[in-house]
Amino acid sequence: YHDLESGLKERLRDWLDREGRREYEALAKHEVYQAGVYGWNIAGDQFHNIAAAGFALYGEVPKVAPWLRYVTERARVVTQALGADGVSPEGICYGGFFTDTYVKTLDLVHRLMGVDLFAGNAYLQQMAWFFAFSSLPRRRLQQHDSLLCLGDGHPYHWVGPASYLHKAAACYRDPLAQWTAALYRAAGASTKPSSLCSLLWYDPAVPDTRPPTLPLAHHFTDKDVVTMRSDWEGDETVLVFKCGPHAGHHALKHYPQCIGGGHMAADAGTILFYSHGERMISDGGYARKYTSYRNTVLINGVGQTGECDGSSDWFECSQLRAEKRGPSILHVSLRRDRDYVLADVAPAYGAEARLARFLRHVLYLRPDTVVIVDELVATAPVTCELWFHAHNAPHGKAEHPFVAAGPGVWESASPQGRCRVSALLPVPVVAEPGLQRVLGIGAHVDRDMDVLRLRNAEPVASALFITVIEALGPAEARPVPMLQARSPGLALRLHQSDATWSCILSPGQAQPATPIVSGCRRRRAQRP
């Protein structure tokens, strides 16, 4: 700055003062939408620009002190609005854009105002967990294929994440943040502008090795996302399950306005499944906000509250906010050989769905098997339709159709593995494998996806679906799952490459939060 020609400095100063002050005053007076949307990526970017302009002008022009006091207090307000689990309601791509500008703003406030909003910041302390658990296995990381994305975005980072992970590592002496940043940098999967801030924030005294006590699964309790892995050895299976309020429990409870913009999805109860280096169960990605683009359920063709109504491309949360209504995870049991999650999905649907109960149980049997039990009760006979999406690249063609592989069994094949879906209940089940047209937004073009839809044959007032998803090698032979009635409950028997599982399922519990899975036993297969 001090080497610039004086006329240029004056023009820069006057432009920043005029344009920056106008933006600051509009934000401070709540004249623009961004004023109250604290976790929205665009609001975070605009606020960071205003903060940087104000700090640059201090001492150069009059009446900047109120500007900087506003910046400091808004930074505090934004921090208070964020959920404590490190997850952005906009997903990891837009969430990364927000986090990048948020951390830069907090760094300015700390260095130049002496206010440390990093201290005790639960969102930033947990952020590395979400990035680590959302990443593909480290041997599969590539520049444009690096993560499992909920919400809007593509399967890679748009902004960062190395820089703000380095900042978190330095602030909290966190090896997980340092290790995760190192993984993305080694794979070339962190954006180049991020490296500039890494020069400022990287602390080599924090080790970049994986913490030895890192668990295989983690529950992000504000957004109610559970991410489960078979191991951390570099080529593992990853399962993601989501069933929380649109912007998280904290926002739903404390804020009447929209906190996270419109990039959320109507996706309560959805899953993502990655194994054998392939995206076995994917979703519609960055597209219009229809429930049918996610791996969850339609009731009589009706999706979840907030999905597109034809007049907008975005998720609309006004009704959910007014009613303080949102789905939630009721029970989580994370063990070495298996994980079990029980979620209440019904609050995601409006009165027109006529749902009295929708509980989704997800049982993950390591390394490569997922059991989904759906209990649905309605006030009138309904048709329930389960959706499962095979993967195709954001701008690619549908290449992985679900093909019948036996009674109640369908497979979708990829070069390195197969996804097998077995519908054990109801009997009979109506299956509709085929193509779904997914409508994009703006530059995100329309595309076709291979899907499998499962529904009850006739409308019923209560329905029980039991679906098993397995990842198999390209030529692996494995017996299909078996379900038998017993007293009480149902006996489920499953095979894996080196073991057999037996579990008891007891649906129909009086209290929704009561687990229905018991007696799970894994027996290692005897080799000849």
Side-chain angles (χ1 to χ4, degrees):
Y1 171 78
H2 298 288
D3 294 328
L4 295 177
E5 183 268 327
S6 60
L8 177 59
K9 284 196 288 189
E10 289 178 4
R11 291 196 299 274
L12 288 172
R13 180 197 63 204
D14 293 345
W15 189 91
L16 279 178
D17 188 26
R18 182 180 67 253
E19 301 298 328
R21 190 179 297 274
R22 183 177 65 184
E23 295 288 330
Y24 141 63
E25 290 180 352
L27 200 65
K29 294 176 182 177
H30 283 253
E31 294 176 342
V32 291
Y33 177 67
Q34 292 91 316
V37 194
Y38 300 129
W40 185 31
N41 66 93
I42 294 175
D45 182 54
Q46 182 189 30
F47 177 50
H48 170 63
N49 293 332
I50 291 169
F55 284 120
L57 289 170
Y58 185 72
E60 301 285 336
V61 298
K63 298 182 180 180
V64 177
W67 185 336
L68 299 186
R69 286 197 292 270
Y70 168 76
V71 166
T72 303
E73 288 310 304
R74 180 178 170 87
R76 196 190 315 273
V77 169
V78 170
T79 299
Q80 292 170 344
L82 301 177
D85 60 0
V87 181
S88 166
E90 296 188 294
I92 203 163
C93 292
Y94 278 106
F97 180 28
F98 164 80
T99 301
D100 175 73
T101 60
Y102 171 63
V103 171
K104 289 175 182 175
T105 303
L106 263 57
D107 192 49
L108 288 171
V109 169
H110 186 201
R111 291 171 183 267
L112 301 176
M113 297 296 287
V115 177
D116 185 2
L117 296 175
F118 291 104
N121 189 317
Y123 175 83
L124 291 180
Q125 287 175 313
Q126 293 296 311
M127 172 191 64
W129 284 77
F130 185 58
F131 281 75
F133 276 84
S134 297
S135 70
L136 296 189
R138 69 176 186 274
R139 294 175 188 162
R140 301 290 180 173
L141 288 176
Q142 301 177 38
Q143 182 177 6
H144 292 112
D145 190 22
S146 60
L147 56 88
L148 292 164
C149 180
L150 292 167
D152 280 342
H154 288 330
Y156 53 87
H157 289 283
W158 293 343
V159 182
S163 56
Y164 42 87
L165 286 172
H166 283 146
K167 182 65 175 180
C171 283
Y172 309 118
R173 321 311 297 169
D174 183 4
L176 178 62
Q178 198 87 314
W179 176 68
T180 306
L183 291 182
Y184 279 102
R185 291 194 63 194
S190 184
T191 58
K192 289 182 179 179
S194 175
S195 299
L196 184 61
C197 285
S198 287
L199 288 173
L200 300 174
W201 295 336
Y202 174 65
D203 184 350
V206 180
D208 62 358
T209 55
R210 187 180 85 216
T213 58
L214 189 63
L216 297 179
H218 187 73
H219 179 197
F220 298 92
T221 55
D222 184 62
K223 309 306 180 299
D224 265 343
V225 175
V226 182
T227 302
M228 299 155 269
R229 306 176 86 92
S230 59
D231 54 63
W232 287 99
E233 298 308 308
D235 204 15
E236 61 266 23
T237 294
V238 188
L239 171 66
V240 180
F241 176 62
K242 178 186 178 185
C243 193
H246 63 281
H249 292 284
H250 177 69
L252 187 67
K253 180 178 180 181
H254 296 289
Y255 293 86
Q257 76 269 38
C258 178
I259 291 296
H263 289 288
M264 294 82 78
D267 61 354
T270 195
I271 69 162
L272 300 173
F273 188 46
Y274 182 97
S275 189
H276 293 270
E278 302 282 359
R279 297 174 188 270
M280 298 285 182
I281 299 294
S282 190
D283 63 23
Y286 199 159
R288 298 181 190 178
K289 305 303 176 280
Y290 288 108
T291 307
S292 62
Y293 293 172
R294 310 294 157 172
N295 302 302
T296 185
V297 180
L298 297 183
I299 308 297
N300 286 339
V302 175
Q304 297 173 3
T305 301
E307 72 168 7
C308 289
D309 61 1
S311 62
S312 169
D313 293 337
W314 307 105
F315 185 85
E316 177 50 66
C317 58
S318 57
Q319 184 177 351
L320 296 168
R321 289 186 279 113
E323 299 174 7
K324 297 292 183 183
R325 170 163 60 89
S328 62
I329 288 178
L330 304 179
H331 176 85
V332 176
S333 174
L334 307 178
R335 302 188 180 187
R336 185 69 189 176
D337 59 348
R338 65 188 185 274
D339 300 322
Y340 170 54
V341 185
L342 161 56
D344 182 10
V345 196
Y349 297 81
E352 66 276 12
R354 299 184 176 182
L355 277 180
R357 172 179 284 196
F358 177 8
L359 301 177
R360 171 160 275 196
H361 309 258
V362 176
L363 175 64
Y364 173 44
L365 304 174
R366 288 184 173 84
D368 56 16
T369 304
V370 183
V371 181
I372 300 176
V373 180
D374 292 311
E375 298 183 82
L376 299 114
V377 179
T379 58
V382 295
T383 298
C384 309
E385 188 173 64
L386 282 60
W387 286 74
F388 299 98
H389 295 75
H391 179 66
N392 72 297
H395 299 286
K397 296 181 179 179
E399 298 177 330
H400 309 295
F402 287 94
V403 178
V409 181
W410 298 264
E411 287 190 3
S412 174
S414 298
Q416 301 177 80
R418 292 144 50 216
C419 178
R420 186 168 73 181
V421 179
S422 300
L424 306 185
L425 282 179
V427 178
V429 67
V430 176
E432 295 183 20
L435 290 176
Q436 179 189 30
R437 190 65 171 170
V438 175
L439 303 178
I441 299 175
H444 304 276
V445 298
D446 300 351
R447 59 183 173 136
D448 292 324
M449 293 194 73
D450 292 302
V451 297
L452 174 65
R453 293 180 289 171
L454 304 175
R455 59 180 171 85
N456 44 297
E458 300 291 339
V460 292
S462 63
L464 177 65
F465 287 80
I466 299 180
T467 312
V468 178
I469 304 173
E470 302 165 282
L472 293 78
E476 181 181 352
R478 184 185 297 186
V480 298
M482 295 180 59
L483 187 70
Q484 294 181 321
R486 66 184 299 276
S487 183
L490 302 164
L492 177 63
R493 184 176 177 85
L494 303 139
H495 296 269
Q496 293 178 330
S497 59
D498 62 348
T500 300
W501 282 91
S502 298
C503 300
I504 304 301
L505 308 177
S506 305
Q509 69 278 42
Q511 298 300 320
T514 302
I516 67 165
V517 178
S518 62
C520 278
R521 287 183 288 182
R522 182 178 186 269
R523 291 188 175 89
R524 187 171 296 276
Q526 295 184 356
R527 300 186 181 277

